[in-house]
């Protein structure tokens, strides 16, 4: 009975984090972009620093009519937002926050394989939305999503394989426990490749060609309204949380800190990476489709392979 209560409590905590952190990231993005780009609108709602902007956005989405196009495949059209969102909830269950057993929803011996496999499922939501919408712009956005997934899944997996080789395990807590501070310069290339490929899979700027609003309206999500559209946005911000937390666990030592170890270090590193994601959106223009593909196949994949080779050399040398 105690084991059941323990599992239930962990799942409740993970679900609460899943509901809160993406909303915090979304609110932060409003404020950071408002300061960086001089956007005054998000700074007024509710008074001080626009604190009610998130509430206003939620009310706006809830009031909008839920429309399904007449020619759409209704079941797949309605299922797509859930397919895009739920994989990130499952991934959070396996990401450790602290050194204690209770700081992770479920310890998995092959946790790295699990999170990478499940993260790839979320892209199916965009493919389903694009195909089921009966809209040529949505279909084009879905096809771009598929091409982007094929291009950036490989460097992401190769970069993760490098750190797994260095740690000698595919368990996420095991990778954090094996972390040494001298890994930072050694694995920096892998970390950059992993983080960049993750941004591309999330379709975040400058890798947002599948939702290039200036060309194809809003990609695979063009026909979505109201709360269904909001679920796709929530999936994007949940993906940011997962990507930043996973990068922290794999490459930045997770809960290890300069003075004392603890879950606060995991949250701080994740928050700083999330700020970097927002900063990149504000700073860099969107890549063209040919530039996006070229970056993966001619830059990231060779760098990831070189990182694996370097990791192998270092492991043999220190043994």
């Amino acid at each position: 009975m105690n084991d059941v209560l323990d599992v239930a409590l962990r799942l409740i905590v993970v679900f609460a984090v899943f509901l809160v952190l993406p909303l915090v990231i979304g609110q932060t993005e409003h404020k950071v972009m408002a300061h960086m780009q001089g956007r005054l609108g998000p700074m007024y709602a509710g008074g001080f620093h626009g604190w009610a902007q998130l509430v206003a956005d939620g009310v706006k989405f809830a009031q909008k009519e839920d429309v399904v196009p007449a020619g759409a495949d209704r079941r797949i059209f309605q299922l797509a937002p859930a397919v895009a969102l739920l994989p990130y909830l499952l991934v959070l269950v396996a990401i450790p926050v602290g050194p204690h057993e209770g700081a992770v929803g479920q310890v998995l011996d092959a946790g790295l394989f699990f999170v990478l496999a499940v993260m790839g499922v979320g892209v199916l939501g965009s493919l389903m939305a694009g195909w089921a919408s009966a809209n040529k712009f949505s279909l084009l956005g879905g096809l771009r999503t598929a091409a982007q997934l094929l291009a950036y899944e490989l460097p992401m997996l190769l970069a993760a394989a490098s750190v797994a080789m260095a740690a000698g395990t595919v368990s996420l807590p095991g990778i954090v426990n094996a972390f040494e501070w001298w890994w930072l310069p050694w694995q920096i290339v892998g970390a950059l490749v992993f983080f960049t490929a993750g941004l591309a899979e999330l379709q975040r700027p400058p890798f947002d060609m599948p939702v290039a609003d200036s060309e194809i309206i809003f990609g695979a999500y063009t026909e979505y309204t109201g709360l269904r559209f909001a679920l796709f946005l929530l999936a994007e911000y949940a993906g940011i949380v997962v990507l930043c937390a996973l990068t922290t666990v794999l490459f930045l030592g997770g809960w290890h800190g300069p003075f004392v170890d603890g879950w606060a270090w995991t949250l701080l590193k994740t928050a700083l990476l999330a700020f970097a994601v927002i900063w990149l959106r504000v700073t860099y223009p969107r890549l063209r489709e040919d530039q996006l593909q070229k970056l993966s196949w001619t830059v990231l994949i060779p760098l990831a392979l070189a990182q694996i080779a370097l990791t192998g050399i270092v492991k043999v040398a220190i043994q």
Side-chain angles (χ1 to χ4, degrees), residues 14-36:
V14 170
F15 188 68
V17 170
F18 179 74
L19 291 178
V20 172
L21 284 187
L23 297 179
V24 173
I25 297 297
Q27 179 79 338
T28 303
E29 183 167 65
H30 272 99
K31 305 311 173 186
V32 172
M33 293 181 66
H35 283 293
M36 288 185 171

Side-chain angles (χ1 to χ4, degrees), residues 22-295:
L23 297 179
V24 173
I25 297 297
Q27 179 79 338
T28 303
E29 183 167 65
H30 272 99
K31 305 311 173 186
V32 172
M33 293 181 66
H35 283 293
M36 288 185 171
Q37 296 183 327
R39 295 183 176 188
L40 298 180
M43 307 301 290
Y44 280 100
F48 175 72
H49 215 261
W51 65 268
Q53 182 65 49
L54 186 65
V55 178
D57 287 341
V59 172
K60 175 186 69 174
F61 284 123
Q63 288 180 333
K64 287 186 176 181
E65 183 180 1
D66 182 18
V67 178
V68 179
D73 187 319
R74 181 174 291 270
R75 289 187 178 180
I76 295 180
F77 184 89
Q78 294 174 339
L79 184 61
V83 174
L85 180 62
L86 288 180
Y88 296 116
L89 173 60
L90 297 178
V91 169
L92 281 179
V93 172
I95 295 180
V97 178
H100 305 294
E101 184 179 349
V104 57
Q106 180 63 48
V107 178
L108 300 176
D109 293 336
L112 181 59
F113 289 151
F114 173 80
V115 297
L116 292 177
V118 174
M119 284 177 67
V121 174
V123 182
L124 292 178
S126 297
L127 298 178
M128 293 168 62
W131 181 84
S133 293
N135 180 305
K136 61 182 179 181
F137 297 107
S138 299
L139 180 59
L140 181 58
L143 292 176
R144 285 182 174 181
T145 299
Q148 197 157 306
L149 171 65
L150 291 174
Y152 283 90
E153 187 76 8
L154 183 56
M156 190 175 187
L157 293 176
L158 291 174
S162 171
V163 76
M165 287 175 57
T169 179
V170 291
S171 166
L172 294 180
I175 290 174
V176 178
N177 288 326
F179 175 80
E180 301 288 347
W181 288 108
W182 58 272
W183 281 19
L184 293 178
W186 172 26
Q187 295 290 334
I188 186 64
V189 172
L192 292 175
V193 170
F194 184 87
F195 193 67
T196 302
L199 287 178
E201 288 206 359
L202 292 177
Q203 303 167 36
R204 289 284 302 182
F207 306 100
D208 58 335
M209 282 301 295
V211 291
D213 50 339
S214 61
E215 299 179 12
I216 52 176
I217 309 178
F218 207 72
Y221 318 134
T222 298
E223 297 293 346
Y224 282 86
T225 60
L227 291 178
R228 297 188 195 280
F229 183 78
L231 287 178
F232 280 116
L233 294 182
L234 184 61
E236 177 181 335
Y237 291 121
I240 293 174
V241 173
V242 167
L243 173 63
C244 295
L246 195 55
T247 304
T248 296
V249 167
L250 294 180
F251 297 97
L252 300 180
W255 57 79
H256 294 303
F259 306 107
V260 61
D261 296 343
W263 57 266
W265 285 111
T266 305
L267 296 182
L268 177 61
K269 296 171 186 177
T270 301
L272 291 176
L273 288 175
F275 175 81
V277 172
I278 299 171
W279 173 70
L280 288 172
R281 173 177 181 175
V282 178
T283 305
Y284 290 98
R286 178 185 301 128
L287 295 176
R288 297 196 314 263
E289 187 67 27
D290 62 312
Q291 294 172 329
L292 187 147
Q293 295 291 331
K294 185 177 181 180
L295 175 65

